[in-house]
Amino acid sequence: MPRSRRTVALAVALVVLAGAVPVAGDETPPATDETIDIETEGFEPDYDPTTVLSRVERLRDLSATQDITLHEYDAEEGPPYDVRDAFGGIRPIGAQALQLYSNATTERRHPLGYTVERRGEVHIYLLDESDLTDHGVSQEAVLAHEFVHALQFQHDLLTPSRRQFRSAFDRWTTDSRLVTTALVEGDAMWVTQQYLDRDGESDYSVGEYNRTLTRAAWPHSIAGTPYYYGYEFHEAAGSSAANRSAAIERPPNSTAELLHPGEEIERAPLPDSPEISGDRNLTRYHTDTVGELVVRHALRLNGLRFARAADAAEGWTNDRMDYYAADETGPATRWVTMWESGDEAREFAAAWRDLLDASGARDNQTSDDTLLVPASDHAPGMYYIVERDGATVRVTAAETADTAARLAEAAENSARSLVRDSARSSAQDSPAHSGRSSATSDPNATAVR
């Protein structure tokens, strides 16, 4: 069992000076007598893992504190398979509502590498180097990326199950998972890019992760976004190792703040989740927040240009998607999105209607307010009711028109209650402050069809 051995530096403290942005790699952590083993289990790399770690430590300004074990695994051969239509808190019926769901098959995808911590010990798993050649990346580059995660574990910036992140958010949702993943992966991407620019020979580019895969591969497509947008966030924040650590420890409150660094986005209040009393066919069982990044990517996956998708998603201030079980008529969702202004809401609603039109939406013959996106070879049919009320857009989606109508009506009653409560509060309080959070009622509220 080959073993690399060397003496490493132990970072005792990380001092952050206001306004000081050190150049990555210019400072080497102070040396101590700590001795670290890098153990390679079952394979012999043609590069020196010790050298890779030393370079990563300089770029990350952190030192390994414990032994690290490296493993290599082979890509399993097999036919294409259907990726489950779920990601984060998005479940299959939510994927249908977002026009992401597809029962088409897609290629099997293996991680190029991954890092885990078990019983306080860090293990790195690397795809076989011969398999990595198909991806145009070396195993050394993948190891550099994974060594950053090893350092994150050893310096308590990352924990198994990422439990330390959950306390930073009111709810652990798709949006909050993407935020925290972006900070962790963006950190590793920044180091990897710098590593290859200085010490490697590769055409590797972070920009390759700003991509939109096929609809059948939408979970892979969305899962790749944190790598690019996390890198961009750290770049905008100055890229110093201290800044990256601080961002991981104190993450932005949403992907909206991730996408717009330096902008504080106050969450708009949401109406209560609609409940339909006495109707066992519509029971709420799950709640999620998808966030600005998923809105942007869903628009892109359905054919909108990158620039328009970004413009339509910008201005987001909050959202909640409620899932309902319907025993006889199929499940349903109610998605309420809050926007910076009525104009921003109108822009999003128009883009969402274009998304539905691209999927063949047509007026439902039994209701002027209901749209039917017919079934395709790869997705079931869905009924939609899309409504805009001031800075709020409400999207109801169900597999039957009647379910969509009943759920939309219940949600409208909840929205009216919020408006009444807001009006009473405004009458009692001082003039409202300005900001990206307001839920207003528009006398010209329309159903976007």
Side-chain angles (χ1 to χ4, degrees):
M1 184 176 296
R3 181 184 293 263
S4 297
R5 199 174 176 84
R6 54 72 185 234
T7 300
V8 302
L10 178 62
V12 177
L14 187 62
V15 180
V16 181
L17 300 177
V21 181
V23 177
D26 283 357
E27 297 183 8
T28 302
T32 71
D33 294 333
E34 294 291 331
T35 301
I36 301 300
D37 287 340
I38 303 176
E39 186 175 303
T40 55
E41 187 172 280
F43 74 108
E44 296 187 31
D46 59 6
Y47 52 85
D48 181 14
T50 297
T51 300
V52 177
L53 179 57
S54 296
R55 291 170 176 171
V56 168
E57 287 174 318
R58 288 195 299 271
L59 288 166
R60 190 56 185 83
D61 201 19
L62 293 174
S63 294
T65 62
Q66 296 176 329
D67 297 350
I68 300 171
T69 303
L70 309 184
H71 309 261
E72 189 178 60
Y73 69 96
D74 297 325
E76 298 175 5
E77 296 184 0
Y81 72 109
D82 186 21
V83 176
R84 184 169 182 265
D85 284 278
F87 174 84
I90 301 174
R91 299 182 180 182
I93 185 60
Q96 290 180 39
L98 293 167
Q99 283 297 305
L100 296 174
Y101 181 93
S102 173
N103 61 16
T105 57
T106 188
E107 292 181 354
R108 184 184 298 270
R109 289 175 177 267
H110 298 276
L112 306 184
Y114 60 95
T115 302
V116 297
E117 184 182 53
R118 292 193 297 266
R119 295 183 292 277
E121 298 180 355
V122 174
H123 296 259
I124 294 176
Y125 294 81
L126 304 166
L127 190 61
D128 182 275
E129 189 152 21
S130 61
D131 294 316
L132 284 169
T133 57
D134 296 335
H135 298 276
V137 63
S138 68
Q139 192 177 79
E140 179 182 348
V142 175
L143 180 59
H145 182 104
E146 297 306 323
F147 269 146
V148 179
H149 294 321
L151 296 176
Q152 290 168 343
F153 274 121
Q154 292 184 351
H155 289 267
D156 296 323
L157 294 171
L158 180 61
T159 59
S161 79
R162 303 187 177 184
R163 61 181 178 273
Q164 85 276 29
F165 292 136
R166 296 173 183 258
S167 61
F169 300 92
D170 294 336
R171 290 187 298 115
W172 191 237
T173 65
T174 298
D175 191 57
S176 56
R177 295 179 200 204
L178 285 170
V179 169
T180 55
T181 301
L183 297 177
V184 169
E185 295 296 348
D187 181 20
M189 294 296 284
W190 191 91
V191 171
T192 307
Q193 184 71 69
Q194 297 298 312
Y195 181 100
L196 294 173
D197 287 347
R198 297 178 183 211
D199 303 304
E201 297 181 2
S202 174
D203 294 330
Y204 175 91
S205 171
V206 177
E208 295 176 2
Y209 285 84
N210 187 21
R211 63 194 179 192
T212 305
L213 302 178
T214 64
R215 181 164 165 174
W218 74 265
H220 294 316
S221 193
I222 290 179
T225 59
Y227 292 79
Y228 174 77
Y229 290 108
Y231 176 91
E232 291 291 303
F233 179 87
H234 288 309
E235 277 283 279
S239 299
S240 75
N243 286 345
R244 297 199 304 278
S245 292
I248 293 171
E249 292 178 322
R250 294 181 294 278
N253 75 8
S254 65
T255 57
E257 289 192 356
L258 177 77
L259 294 169
H260 310 287
E263 185 174 351
E264 186 174 342
I265 298 172
E266 185 177 353
R267 293 293 190 94
L270 290 159
D272 293 336
S273 298
E275 299 288 357
I276 302 181
S277 59
D279 190 337
R280 290 181 298 175
N281 281 334
L282 281 173
T283 305
R284 183 163 56 93
Y285 68 93
H286 179 58
T287 298
D288 189 28
T289 296
V290 300
E292 181 176 337
L293 181 53
V294 169
V295 172
R296 178 189 291 196
H297 212 67
L299 292 169
R300 281 169 44 169
L301 275 163
N302 282 277
L304 270 69
R305 293 180 295 106
F306 278 32
R308 190 187 173 199
D311 289 344
E314 187 173 355
W316 175 100
T317 59
N318 211 347
D319 80 67
R320 186 186 62 241
M321 180 176 284
D322 292 308
Y323 289 63
Y324 293 83
D327 296 338
E328 298 176 0
T329 59
T333 61
R334 180 63 172 174
W335 184 32
V336 57
T337 62
M338 313 298 289
W339 299 87
E340 183 179 340
S341 66
D343 288 341
E344 296 283 4
R346 185 180 295 107
E347 183 178 14
F348 164 70
W352 200 257
R353 173 59 199 258
D354 287 347
L355 175 153
L356 298 178
D357 286 345
S359 299
R362 61 174 182 263
D363 292 341
N364 177 37
Q365 295 178 353
T366 61
S367 171
D368 292 337
D369 294 335
T370 308
L371 296 169
L372 169 62
V373 173
S376 66
D377 290 341
H378 300 310
M382 292 291 288
Y383 289 88
Y384 287 86
I385 298 176
V386 183
E387 306 158 292
R388 185 185 68 82
D389 184 1
T392 303
V393 178
R394 298 185 294 270
V395 179
T396 307
E399 294 182 354
T400 69
D402 179 64
T403 300
R406 286 187 294 123
L407 187 53
E409 182 179 2
E412 185 177 354
N413 292 335
S414 295
R416 287 172 180 166
S417 298
L418 176 65
V419 171
R420 287 195 298 268
D421 293 343
S422 297
R424 282 194 293 267
S425 177
S426 297
Q428 296 171 359
D429 298 337
S430 58
H433 62 277
S434 60
R436 292 188 65 175
S437 60
S438 62
T440 59
S441 180
D442 186 343
N444 297 315
T446 58
V448 182
R449 300 172 39 236

